[in-house]
């Protein structure tokens, strides 16, 4: 009897131990990937920007000279500023389009809504480089819009191609589908009856949005904005193909500094600065999500 | 004072007519139930009154004023939804006071009226609670308080207790009834439960396939149903198709006096109006269910119809035993209208006979 009880206890203990091992094995792979593919290169890059050779080219030592150069160089700061500006303006325009569009798609049914949804989601399946090419064909010099205007006797447009607005339009176009999908997921938690109840007690459309819809989709807006901000900060295709040569966004700036100027230390410094901005936003994002979860749990 | 008038109200979704030609007047302080099966159009009518659906035909008038094209926020109505539709990011007080805040009332006034509304629905002190801390019944009371606090002329209720258990449903509907009598508020209540309609309503509007079948007092709906649909929908009814020939309704071995024109007819007999004798006859006893207070015998007639009869107590009879059934009181229908009524049920007004 005693033996049976003992072996029974051991049997009960075994699944816990094996479960713990299985869990650790399952976690080990992604942790190893993050460590080798992300943390290690980031650490190396940061170390490379802080451990520089002396003035005679020998004897590496700790130095912040590369950062001193970046933050005192007008061109570098201009590029950082245009990156922040493009990201902020693109995100604001994107939200201004995506939020009303998502609300329309959530609360309207029928063929028109289905067509709008298909059109809004379509760019998700088109590579960025194709979108950039389409942009040039439509809004570029001698593009479709220009040709139409010329044919009806109107003056040509001031093309946003190769201006700061080129990447902004490209980003908005490219990021609209994912943003709409994320916001629609958030809006699925807002029931039609909750909106109708608000209108029933006297809320107009704006009051309903402000007091009923917005508080419920705040986390979704934050998630969507985070994807957009983090993606835009390190974007390359649109700024390279549609943006101005100078100032340039951090993506093309890094590539050019590394490949054309052949200054890997300064390229890494630019990368670390870009990473620190993204990390700061990531910290804000995680903190907001955690605060929201705490609020929901109370 | 608040009266609701619906004039030839209709609603079509594409080529599908959801509601057709609804005419109805709801008097001041009256509680009217819209009753019907799923898809009968009752909720669509209510949503048109509340402004959530635009009619494709007809008008909605409140106190004589045409509100057909007003949005919900500009109508003197308030709606209680089936899923209570409370806003989970607000407290109970926030939910109830939201409409008042939109109207620009001071914080103190809002708090005072919210407290009064919570007292009215029996939830004093619940203001600071979160909505997810409420039971189903409490959530519906808060939804009711949210509607009542705005003092609407007409309160609309769209199956508000459908998701609650039977006991709670009965208690809440009694409370709503008491509240309606006390506040003298005009109410339109949608339900698909006839018990709920019979327990609550001053008048019941029975709907089927988008049309009003009958709008009448609950007792008259039971005793003098105007159409075979109402006869079958309100209470239990045996419906037997047959022929009238030479002043007699004939179906198998059943022959009844029917002084009306020859032609097809539908015989309607309540189970309690069907006399049963065991041992002889063309019918066969299928089953007897003893409910304690009475028993129900299910009898197969020769032509294949199965009818139910109420008995004062369970008989000593086995399934398959020959049975004779004789209607004591019955109605004949033809073309969805009353053709003939054998007599008038006690306590009911005389029934119009269309021979």
């Amino acid at each position: 009897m005693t033996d049976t009880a003992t072996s029974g206890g051991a049997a009960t203990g075994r699944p816990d131990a094996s479960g713990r091992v299985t869990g650790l094995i399952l976690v080990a792979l992604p942790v190893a990937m993050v460590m080798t593919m992300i943390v290690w290169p980031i650490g190396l890059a940061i170390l490379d920007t802080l451990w520089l050779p002396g003035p005679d080219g020998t004897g590496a030592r700790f130095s912040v000279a590369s950062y001193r150069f970046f933050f005192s160089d007008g061109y570098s700061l201009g590029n950082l500023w245009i990156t922040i500006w493009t990201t902020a303006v693109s995100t604001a325009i994107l939200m201004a389009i995506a939020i009303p569009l998502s609300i329309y798609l959530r609360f309207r049914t029928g063929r028109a809504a289905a067509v709008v949804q298909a059109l809004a989601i379509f760019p998700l399946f088109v590579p960025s480089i194709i979108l950039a090419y389409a942009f040039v064909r439509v809004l570029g010099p001698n593009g479709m819009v220009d040709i139409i205007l010329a044919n009806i006797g109107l003056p040509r447009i001031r093309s946003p191609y190769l201006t700061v607005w080129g990447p902004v339009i490209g980003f908005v176009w490219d990021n609209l589908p994912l943003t709409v999908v994320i916001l629609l997921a958030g809006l699925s938690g807002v029931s039609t009856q909750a909106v109708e109840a608000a209108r029933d007690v006297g809320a107009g459309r704006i009051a309903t949005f402000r007091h009923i819809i917005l508080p419920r989709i705040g986390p979704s807006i934050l998630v969507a904005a985070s994807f957009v901000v983090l993606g835009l900060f390190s974007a390359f295709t649109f700024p390279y193909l549609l943006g101005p040569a100078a100032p340039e966004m951090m993506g093309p700036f890094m590539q050019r500094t590394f490949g054309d100027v052949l200054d890997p230390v300064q390229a890494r410094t630019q990368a670390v600065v870009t990473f620190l901005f993204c990390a700061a936003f990531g910290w804000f994002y995680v903190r907001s999500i955690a605060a929201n979860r705490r609020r929901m749990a109370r | 004072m608040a009266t609701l008038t619906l004039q030839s109200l209709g609603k079509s979704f594409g080529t599908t007519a959801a509601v057709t030609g609804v005419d109805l007047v709801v008097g001041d302080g009256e509680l009217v139930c819209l009753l019907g099966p799923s898809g009968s159009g009752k909720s669509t009518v209510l949503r048109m009154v509340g402004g959530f659906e635009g009619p494709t035909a007809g008008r909605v008038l409140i106190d004589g004023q045409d509100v057909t094209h007003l949005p919900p926020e500009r109508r003197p109505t308030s709606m209680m939804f089936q899923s209570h539709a409370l806003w989970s990011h607000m407290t109970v007080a926030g939910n109830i006071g939201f409409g008042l805040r939109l109207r620009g009332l001071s914080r103190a006034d809002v708090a005072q009226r919210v407290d009064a509304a919570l007292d009215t629905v029996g939830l004093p002190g619940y203001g600071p609670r979160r909505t997810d801390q409420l039971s189903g019944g409490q959530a519906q009371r808060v939804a009711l308080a949210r509607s009542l606090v705005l003092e609407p002329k007409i309160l609309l209720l769209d199956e508000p207790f459908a998701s609650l258990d039977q006991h709670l449903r009965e208690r809440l509907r009694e409370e709503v009834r008491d509240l309606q009598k006390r506040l003298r508020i005009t109410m339109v209540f949608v339900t698909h439960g006839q018990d709920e309609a019979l327990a609550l309503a001053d008048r019941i509007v029975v709907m089927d396939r988008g049309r009003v079948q009958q709008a009448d007092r609950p007792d008259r709906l039971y005793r003098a149903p105007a159409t075979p649909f109402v006869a079958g929908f309100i209470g239990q009814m045996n419906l037997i198709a047959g022929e009238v020939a030479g002043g007699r309704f004939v179906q198998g071995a059943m022959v009844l006096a029917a002084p009306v024109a020859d032609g097809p007819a539908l015989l309607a007999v309540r189970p309690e109006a069907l006399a049963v004798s065991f041992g002889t006859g063309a019918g066969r006893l299928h089953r007897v269910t003893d409910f304690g207070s009475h028993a129900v015998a299910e009898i197969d007639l020769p032509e294949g119809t199965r009818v139910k009869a109420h008995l004062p107590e369970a008989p000593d009879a086995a399934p398959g035993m020959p049975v004779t059934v004789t209607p004591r009181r019955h109605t004949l229908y033809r073309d969805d209208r009353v053709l003939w009524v054998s007599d008038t049920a006690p306590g009911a007004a005389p029934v119009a006979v269309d021979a």
Side-chain angles (χ1 to χ4, degrees), chain A residues 180-258:
Chain A
V180 166
V181 167
I182 293 170
L183 292 179
L184 275 176
L187 280 164
S188 66
V190 184
S191 74
T192 305
Q193 289 196 341
V195 171
E196 289 182 342
R199 299 197 64 197
D200 192 53
V201 299
R205 290 177 198 281
I206 292 172
T208 303
F209 172 71
R210 188 177 151 207
H211 296 291
I212 306 299
I213 296 175
L214 197 55
R216 301 298 306 274
I217 62 166
S220 297
I221 292 176
L222 191 62
V223 170
S226 302
F227 276 120
V228 174
V229 167
L230 299 179
L232 262 59
F233 226 86
S234 54
F236 180 81
T237 308
F238 285 121
Y240 185 73
L241 293 175
L242 304 177
E248 58 193 330
M249 285 180 69
M250 294 305 283
F253 184 36
M254 276 183 260
Q255 193 277 335
R256 206 171 50 74
T257 307
F258 186 82

Side-chain angles (χ1 to χ4, degrees), chain B residues 288-345:
Chain B
V288 175
T289 309
D290 192 346
F291 288 98
S293 61
H294 68 286
V296 174
E298 292 174 56
I299 298 149
D300 291 328
L301 299 182
E303 79 282 5
T305 310
R306 180 170 292 167
V307 296
K308 289 183 177 178
H310 284 190
L311 307 169
E313 58 188 28
D316 184 18
M321 179 182 275
V323 179
T324 303
V325 293
T326 313
R328 287 193 292 257
R329 193 170 64 244
H330 59 274
T331 306
L332 288 176
Y333 293 94
R334 182 180 291 163
D335 300 330
D336 273 350
R337 300 170 69 188
V338 174
L339 188 63
W340 189 70
V341 180
S342 67
D343 68 355
T344 303

Side-chain angles (χ1 to χ4, degrees), chain A:
Chain A
M1 288 295 284
T2 310
D3 288 348
T4 311
T6 309
S7 64
T12 317
R14 266 199 304 274
D16 283 346
S18 72
R20 235 182 354 255
V21 171
T22 309
L24 286 173
I25 290 170
L26 287 171
V27 169
L29 190 64
V31 167
M33 281 196 68
V34 167
M35 292 305 289
T36 54
M37 308 289 284
I38 299 174
V39 176
W40 176 247
I42 287 174
L44 272 185
I46 293 172
L47 203 66
D48 283 349
T49 59
L50 293 171
W51 203 254
L52 301 174
D56 55 352
T58 57
R61 58 186 179 159
F62 177 79
S63 168
V64 292
S66 67
Y67 291 96
R68 195 180 296 125
F69 173 80
F70 183 92
F71 286 107
S72 60
D73 176 40
Y75 186 68
S76 299
L77 288 175
N79 289 345
L80 180 62
W81 165 245
I82 203 68
T83 305
I84 295 169
W85 182 89
T86 305
T87 303
V89 170
S90 301
T91 308
I93 294 174
L94 190 62
M95 289 301 159
I97 295 171
I99 291 173
L101 183 60
S102 306
I103 291 172
Y104 168 81
L105 293 174
R106 164 65 185 82
F107 293 106
R108 286 293 168 95
T109 51
R111 185 167 292 188
V115 170
V116 171
Q117 180 152 9
L119 288 173
I121 303 298
F122 177 67
L124 190 65
F125 306 104
V126 182
S128 303
I129 198 159
I130 305 295
L131 288 178
Y133 179 71
F135 171 96
V136 176
R137 296 288 301 177
V138 174
L139 289 171
N142 299 321
M144 189 184 76
V145 174
D146 259 356
I147 292 168
I148 291 171
L149 290 174
N151 274 306
I152 58 176
L154 290 172
R156 291 174 168 224
I157 57 165
R158 282 181 60 193
S159 174
Y161 179 52
L162 301 183
T163 73
V164 291
W165 292 102
V168 169
I169 295 171
F171 286 139
V172 169
W173 193 356
D174 193 35
N175 284 283
L176 189 63
L178 190 61
T179 308
V180 166
V181 167
I182 293 170
L183 292 179
L184 275 176
L187 280 164
S188 66
V190 184
S191 74
T192 305
Q193 289 196 341
V195 171
E196 289 182 342
R199 299 197 64 197
D200 192 53
V201 299
R205 290 177 198 281
I206 292 172
T208 303
F209 172 71
R210 188 177 151 207
H211 296 291
I212 306 299
I213 296 175
L214 197 55
R216 301 298 306 274
I217 62 166
S220 297
I221 292 176
L222 191 62
V223 170
S226 302
F227 276 120
V228 174
V229 167
L230 299 179
L232 262 59
F233 226 86
S234 54
F236 180 81
T237 308
F238 285 121
Y240 185 73
L241 293 175
L242 304 177
E248 58 193 330
M249 285 180 69
M250 294 305 283
F253 184 36
M254 276 183 260
Q255 193 277 335
R256 206 171 50 74
T257 307
F258 186 82
D260 297 342
V261 184
L262 303 176
D263 184 352
V265 173
Q266 203 43 232
R268 285 193 193 105
T269 305
Q270 294 157 9
V272 171
V273 170
T274 304
F275 165 72
L276 289 177
F277 267 90
C278 290
F281 192 84
W283 176 79
F284 166 74
Y285 163 73
V286 170
R287 193 167 157 266
S288 303
I289 293 290
N292 189 57
R293 284 202 178 157
R294 274 199 302 275
R295 204 165 43 244
M296 296 298 282
R298 271 203 304 273

Side-chain angles (χ1 to χ4, degrees), chain A residues 191-205 207-208 211-213 215-216 295-298, chain B residues 47 50 52 71-73 77-79 81-85 87-90 98-99 102-103 130 132 146 150:
Chain A
S191 74
T192 305
Q193 289 196 341
V195 171
E196 289 182 342
R199 299 197 64 197
D200 192 53
V201 299
R205 290 177 198 281
T208 303
H211 296 291
I212 306 299
I213 296 175
R216 301 298 306 274
R295 204 165 43 244
M296 296 298 282
R298 271 203 304 273
Chain B
R47 290 175 61 77
F52 300 106
E73 60 267 29
T77 56
S78 191
M79 173 98 97
F81 296 88
Q82 187 173 342
S83 67
H84 61 68
W87 306 301
S88 57
H89 60 284
M90 295 184 193
F98 180 58
L102 289 173
R103 284 159 178 75
R130 289 170 51 86
D132 55 12
R146 181 174 66 183
L150 299 172

